Amino acid sequence: MKNRFTPIFLCLFSIFITKNLFADNSKSINFLLASTPNEPQVSYPVEWNEKWFGETPSTIYNHNIARFCSMLSFASYGVKTDGSRNLLQYNLKLIDVKQADMNFCYNINYENQLWGKDQCAFCIASKEIASSKGRQTLVFVIIRGTPLSADEWISNINLSDESKTEKEIHEGFYKATEQVYTELISFMLKKRIDPTNAFLLITGHSRGGAVSNLLAYKCSSDGFFQRENIYAYTFAAPNVTTLDTVENAEYDFIWNIVNAEDIVPTVPMFRGKWSYRKFGHMLTFCNYWNTDQENFDNIILPKVDEVFTKLANRNYSTFKMGPFIPIQTTAVLNNLNGSIEKYYSGSGLHHKISNQLSKIFTAPAVVNNKAEKEEIETKHKSIKDRIINWINNRTDGLYDKVEHCFSDMHSIKTYFSFMNALDENQAFSTLGCSQIVIHGREEGAIIDKDGNRLLLITEGRIDYTTIKSPLAARSMFGDSVVVGIPANIDFDFVLTNESILPTPISLTIEHFDSTGRYLGSSKKIPAACKINSVYQFEAGITTLDAEDIDFKKIRGIEAKQIITQNSMTPLQEFHVMPEISLNTDLNLSFGARIGSTRLYGVALLGFPLEHPGESFELSLGIGNQNTLIGPITLSGEFIPKMIWVYEPQGSDENIFNLVPEIRLSLSIRPVRTLSLFMAGTFDFEIDGFNNAAFKSDVRTMNMGSFPLGSSVNVAPSIQFGIQLQLGNSIPILQPLKMLLQSKKTTEN
């Protein structure tokens, strides 16, 4: 009888072993998601498997766990403090977490004397799992991002409110981390969880990601948990520390997932005297600049759109500009606040942001009359809608597109969509990018390998109407432009200068990693360039890690062809240049140049300071301006002057005198709209024609006069003045059009 049941027993035993050791226990669960407590919930399937834990050390990235964490971070926003809705609780129950083993800290008192405004909403939960290491406890720490209230936003900008000097850890985030850590230890003691026989899963988005990063760092540092059993996945986390040890092996279990188009993960900055980063690894979503562009358009975007549409009822909006916008934001913030001390100064960024937050989150005035309240809301809505409609109607829906792009770059829906639409090999890229900074007033163009012009630079300014995907660029204050260069394709960069004398061309190459973090720069000043000569170099893949640029100088007919084909000549725009000047004869004049640099009119009024009331002059003429070298220009003008000379009644002298004048001036522009000039003026006295205008009691001639012939004398003087340039400025919406140019091109 014993031998009879032995084969059956062995068969059942083998089935049991196979089922429990080798079977795939993954299951797809329809979790409920919402990015605000009041938003309609959406159901989406995400895989879950307890065997993921312990299967490999946490220092090895696990895309399945990361996907699951994106769901938890998403669901953390769908919790109401009054308990009437709790999507995170619902989802945890779907994986058999008991309600008694969940601790929700969402009902926050920001007036608490211990933690104050430096708090966050979070959930700690636990369950027994059948991990790859056997039966162990899994502890969840899920931290919500910033809600729509001023309190946690104030904490976000609290870099070091106490000392107002640089600290190793972001003060606002770290205080919130201490709150979560204290609750975690209390939870584990209460549940009698042995940390040596447990896994810890930490996750969060945005502010929740920053606190998650610091919590993982703190748990690693205290040795409470075994490091290989701590799984930390953050999404869109801001930077948290200035420590140089962030990339040490002891933090290899922390995985920070970012969208390169997202500004939030780049602040506080890493540039200049700012050195904020995150602990652990950085993983960057693929984008139009760091992966094959055709693959991004035809495979990646459609997959992401499929998930995003289920969550938002529209397609995902992308600038297709890689980290260009975050890079520029970092540069601007660094220029405005070069250090922590300046950040906290009276006019610093901290003060300005605090004021704006108080305005944004100030409670509206209470209106008891329902009809009056509806009237006010309707009026405000009507004004806003009119402005938005006006912009949209004139810019092909620009406002809506920009709004979607800026909201989507940081949205948890975006992070969830990328994580769940793409596998590990598709989702991320390590490719960085570079940008070229051109200093000066050069003309330039960027041309693709098919000979198509993608961007035009005129007199050191970006012509935004010419920008085509995948390039991005901006004009900076002064005479510099920045051109963002993708690292997945090469372009030809050509530069010239319309100066008479050779002018040096100064370039800076700046390098960035896949997240947009600044890596360093190198400066290049090639030989001087002038009219009908061109410098050409390759940028893109070539400049990704390049410390130098290989220039090719082109002259003659070939250079002229390149200049003509790409319209690389200064714009002959209409300008108005008001001026005021004083010359060595103590004659004060004011007026304006009107027209283009190639040909303009001059209209001036003048009167002598030494002989006031003796004469008055009106000058009307024409002129031409050329660049001499760099910011120095040379102008030549012919200005006939009508001089009115006061004479007693009955005098034989002419009251009105026509005086031909030639003015040659050198101008230098310290800033683009302001010129300082020095001019030599030459007034011609013609005997018997305009002598009254040159009488010593009418005008002073400190430099005298010189004969040019028997009947013509010339009276020179030196003039000093200031000119302002007014004219066709770049429309305010053009830079925004540039942001969406690639999207529009794709749609067409």
Side-chain angles (χ1 to χ4, degrees):
M1 182 68 67
K2 181 179 179 180
N3 292 336
R4 181 178 174 184
F5 286 101
T6 298
I8 298 174
F9 173 78
L10 291 175
C11 182
L12 292 174
F13 181 75
S14 64
I15 292 173
F16 174 81
I17 292 295
T18 301
K19 180 178 180 181
N20 287 276
L21 295 183
F22 302 105
D24 182 7
N25 293 322
S26 296
K27 55 182 177 179
S28 180
I29 300 174
N30 288 317
F31 294 103
L32 296 181
L33 306 167
S35 55
T36 67
N38 298 315
E39 187 181 56
Q41 63 191 34
V42 178
S43 175
Y44 196 88
V46 179
E47 294 292 315
W48 165 249
N49 189 346
E50 296 178 355
K51 294 292 184 183
W52 294 334
F53 298 91
E55 188 175 35
T56 57
S58 58
T59 53
I60 297 176
Y61 174 77
N62 189 311
H63 197 56
N64 290 316
I65 295 178
R67 279 175 166 169
F68 183 73
C69 285
S70 73
M71 181 279 298
L72 294 176
S73 296
F74 199 157
S76 70
Y77 288 98
V79 179
K80 286 189 174 182
T81 56
D82 62 4
S84 60
R85 188 186 199 187
N86 193 328
L87 298 186
L88 184 54
Q89 180 189 79
Y90 176 86
N91 291 348
L92 289 173
K93 285 183 177 180
L94 292 179
I95 59 171
D96 301 323
V97 179
K98 298 176 182 178
Q99 186 164 341
D101 294 328
M102 302 181 204
N103 180 20
F104 283 88
C105 299
Y106 269 72
N107 195 4
I108 304 173
N109 175 19
Y110 294 108
E111 303 303 321
N112 180 288
Q113 292 186 355
L114 179 61
W115 304 113
K117 299 185 186 301
D118 297 309
Q119 299 185 62
C120 60
F122 60 95
C123 169
I124 300 175
S126 66
K127 79 178 295 282
E128 292 294 316
I129 63 170
S131 75
S132 293
K133 289 183 177 181
R135 301 294 299 181
Q136 289 199 9
T137 302
L138 173 61
V139 179
F140 303 83
V141 182
I142 307 143
I143 306 168
R144 185 196 65 187
T146 314
L148 294 176
S149 64
D151 301 286
E152 290 183 37
W153 278 104
I154 290 173
S155 179
N156 289 343
I157 63 172
N158 172 16
L159 307 187
S160 56
D161 286 1
E162 292 179 357
S163 66
K164 294 181 173 54
T165 57
E166 183 178 290
K167 297 177 69 173
E168 291 182 343
I169 306 291
H170 185 292
E171 187 174 291
F173 294 152
Y174 192 68
K175 285 185 176 180
T177 302
E178 288 183 315
Q179 177 199 15
V180 179
Y181 182 78
T182 300
E183 195 66 33
L184 172 62
I185 300 303
S186 174
F187 179 89
M188 294 187 67
L189 290 173
K190 182 179 179 181
K191 297 292 182 181
R192 298 182 179 180
I193 297 173
D194 179 4
T196 63
N197 192 40
F199 296 102
L200 179 61
L201 181 64
I202 306 172
T203 191
H205 168 262
S206 192
R207 174 179 173 83
V211 177
S212 295
N213 187 273
L214 287 175
L215 180 64
Y217 153 76
K218 190 172 180 64
C219 289
S220 170
S221 301
D222 68 10
F224 197 50
F225 281 88
Q226 296 181 24
R227 191 173 292 121
E228 65 271 17
N229 287 346
I230 305 175
Y231 294 83
Y233 290 88
T234 78
F235 303 93
N239 292 323
V240 298
T241 180
T242 60
L243 289 171
D244 293 330
T245 58
V246 291
E247 295 178 357
N248 285 6
E250 60 189 296
Y251 309 122
D252 277 354
F253 65 92
I254 305 174
W255 300 91
N256 304 290
I257 297 169
V258 301
N259 174 17
E261 293 189 356
D262 189 357
I263 294 171
V264 173
T266 65
V267 293
M269 297 91 73
F270 184 87
R271 181 132 196 192
K273 294 182 179 180
W274 296 80
S275 55
Y276 281 88
R277 290 182 285 175
K278 290 178 271 289
F279 292 100
H281 297 280
M282 301 298 298
L283 293 176
T284 308
F285 287 144
C286 54
N287 58 61
Y288 202 60
W289 276 22
N290 65 14
T291 190
D292 180 79
Q293 293 174 358
E294 186 175 347
N295 181 65
F296 185 79
D297 277 332
N298 299 329
I299 298 177
I300 293 173
L301 267 185
K303 286 186 175 181
V304 172
D305 280 342
E306 185 178 350
V307 179
F308 195 90
T309 301
K310 293 179 180 178
L311 305 174
N313 294 318
R314 62 173 176 83
N315 284 345
Y316 165 63
S317 295
T318 171
F319 286 125
K320 285 193 175 180
M321 295 164 59
F324 184 77
I325 294 176
I327 288 171
Q328 304 316 307
T329 303
T330 296
V332 170
L333 292 177
N334 181 54
N335 290 335
L336 293 175
N337 295 267
S339 65
I340 290 287
E341 289 74 18
K342 289 184 178 179
Y343 171 78
Y344 277 106
S345 67
S347 60
L349 195 59
H350 182 272
H351 178 71
K352 293 175 183 177
I353 296 176
S354 298
N355 287 341
Q356 289 301 315
L357 288 173
S358 63
K359 292 178 182 178
I360 292 171
F361 294 107
T362 298
V366 177
V367 180
N368 296 321
N369 187 300
K370 185 178 180 181
E372 184 180 350
K373 181 178 180 181
E374 290 178 352
E375 182 181 351
I376 293 173
E377 291 177 349
T378 303
K379 183 178 179 181
H380 288 173
K381 186 175 185 296
S382 176
I383 294 172
K384 179 182 177 181
D385 288 345
R386 286 178 187 176
I387 295 173
I388 292 172
N389 290 335
W390 185 88
I391 296 173
N392 282 332
N393 292 336
R394 286 158 179 78
T395 57
D396 191 26
L398 178 64
Y399 182 93
D400 290 341
K401 293 176 184 177
V402 170
E403 185 180 40
H404 289 158
C405 286
F406 274 107
S407 64
D408 290 357
M409 66 166 59
H410 184 62
S411 170
I412 184 59
K413 294 176 182 177
T414 297
Y415 283 82
F416 180 87
S417 297
F418 269 87
M419 293 301 301
N420 289 274
L422 307 171
D423 60 33
E424 180 181 349
N425 295 327
Q426 289 179 315
F428 307 111
S429 173
T430 59
L431 202 60
C433 66
S434 60
Q435 67 180 20
I436 307 292
V437 184
I438 307 168
H439 311 279
R441 296 192 175 115
E442 285 73 29
E443 279 68 49
I446 299 182
I447 306 164
D448 66 18
K449 293 306 179 181
D450 295 324
N452 301 311
R453 190 187 69 190
L454 304 180
L455 181 146
L456 180 64
I457 301 168
T458 303
E459 292 186 305
R461 307 297 285 178
I462 298 294
D463 183 350
Y464 287 100
T465 62
T466 66
I467 297 180
K468 296 181 178 63
S469 178
L471 293 183
R474 76 176 177 100
S475 298
M476 301 199 301
F477 295 109
D479 293 310
S480 296
V481 299
V482 174
V483 182
I485 308 291
N488 50 15
I489 190 171
D490 269 327
F491 308 91
D492 285 327
F493 218 128
V494 289
L495 292 172
T496 187
N497 199 308
E498 289 289 303
S499 60
I500 298 171
L501 300 177
T503 301
I505 296 177
S506 176
L507 303 176
T508 301
I509 317 171
E510 297 184 341
H511 307 285
F512 303 87
D513 68 10
S514 62
T515 68
R517 181 166 65 93
Y518 178 66
L519 299 177
S521 63
S522 57
K523 200 164 187 178
K524 175 72 175 179
I525 303 179
C529 192
K530 62 178 183 178
I531 291 175
N532 295 329
S533 66
V534 169
Y535 277 103
Q536 182 174 351
F537 63 93
E538 203 168 54
I541 301 172
T542 308
T543 52
L544 183 59
D545 300 311
E547 295 298 324
D548 202 355
I549 293 177
D550 184 18
F551 286 97
K552 176 184 177 183
K553 188 167 185 178
I554 303 171
R555 297 184 179 90
I557 296 175
E558 186 180 356
K560 290 182 180 179
Q561 288 176 341
I562 293 174
I563 293 170
T564 302
Q565 289 171 359
N566 295 286
S567 303
M568 293 165 54
T569 53
L571 291 175
Q572 297 303 316
E573 291 184 340
F574 180 85
H575 292 290
V576 176
M577 296 187 68
E579 72 168 63
I580 184 169
S581 64
L582 180 68
N583 67 9
T584 51
D585 293 340
L586 298 180
N587 194 68
L588 180 68
S589 64
F590 55 91
R593 292 179 179 181
I594 303 171
S596 68
T597 57
R598 184 169 296 171
L599 181 66
Y600 57 85
V602 182
L604 300 170
L605 296 175
F607 56 90
L609 296 179
E610 194 164 331
H611 302 284
E614 294 297 326
S615 66
F616 176 80
E617 63 185 45
L618 170 65
S619 303
L620 299 173
I622 59 172
N624 170 264
Q625 178 179 290
N626 292 282
T627 300
L628 183 64
I629 181 172
I632 301 175
T633 59
L634 175 65
S635 300
E637 299 162 352
F638 175 65
I639 310 174
K641 296 196 295 186
M642 180 63 72
I643 300 179
W644 179 82
V645 179
Y646 175 76
E647 292 289 346
Q649 189 174 4
S651 172
D652 294 333
E653 297 285 351
N654 293 326
I655 296 178
F656 294 102
N657 294 266
L658 182 63
V659 177
E661 179 182 88
I662 293 176
R663 181 167 73 163
L664 301 175
S665 62
L666 286 175
S667 303
I668 183 168
R669 285 190 285 179
V671 296
R672 179 163 291 273
T673 57
L674 174 67
S675 293
L676 306 177
F677 71 90
M678 180 181 71
T681 63
F682 304 90
D683 289 358
F684 293 90
E685 179 184 3
I686 303 172
D687 191 30
F689 178 68
N690 57 14
N691 302 96
F694 291 84
K695 291 171 61 177
S696 60
D697 60 347
V698 173
R699 64 178 284 182
T700 303
M701 291 187 293
N702 289 319
M703 299 182 68
S705 64
F706 304 91
L708 290 181
S710 59
S711 61
V712 179
N713 292 331
V714 61
S717 67
I718 299 175
Q719 191 178 48
F720 300 92
I722 298 174
Q723 295 172 330
L724 295 175
Q725 180 170 305
L726 309 175
N728 293 336
S729 60
I730 298 169
I732 192 170
L733 292 177
Q734 283 193 357
L736 296 178
K737 288 182 179 179
M738 176 268 291
L739 301 179
L740 293 157
Q741 184 65 41
S742 58
K743 183 178 179 66
K744 186 175 179 181
T745 301
T746 303
E747 290 172 351
N748 290 342

